[in-house]
Amino acid sequence: MFRADLPAGHLGLGIVIAASVIVGLFAGPVPGALVAGSFAVLFLLTLAVVLLRGIRGLDAARRAYLFTFGWGQWF
């Protein structure tokens, strides 16, 4: 089962930010924004699904955050 905690999510977010900056420097600002934007869209879609399941408040945001960025535990 996939389990993640907030430090892993923060690491995943940091990696996404670093990757967006690196892609932005080498490929241009549009591809860099696409990397960041794709994760933002994934977060918002996950948040919408969590809210539709009836989970509210900070718990909904935490679950969406961990789903989107929790893969940072593997680095």
Side-chain angles (χ1 to χ4, degrees):
M1 178 119 207
F2 175 73
R3 293 215 179 247
D5 52 358
L6 284 179
H10 297 332
L11 180 61
L13 177 62
I15 292 170
V16 168
I17 291 171
S20 298
V21 170
I22 291 170
V23 169
L25 288 174
F26 289 110
V30 173
L34 285 174
V35 171
S38 63
F39 279 95
V41 167
L42 177 62
F43 174 78
L44 291 174
L45 287 174
T46 305
L47 183 60
V49 168
V50 171
L51 289 172
L52 287 174
R53 289 185 60 204
I55 301 166
R56 299 284 184 243
L58 290 177
D59 191 37
R62 181 181 174 275
R63 289 182 186 207
Y65 180 77
L66 290 178
F67 181 82
T68 306
F69 301 109
W71 50 265
Q73 69 185 356
W74 293 313
F75 285 95

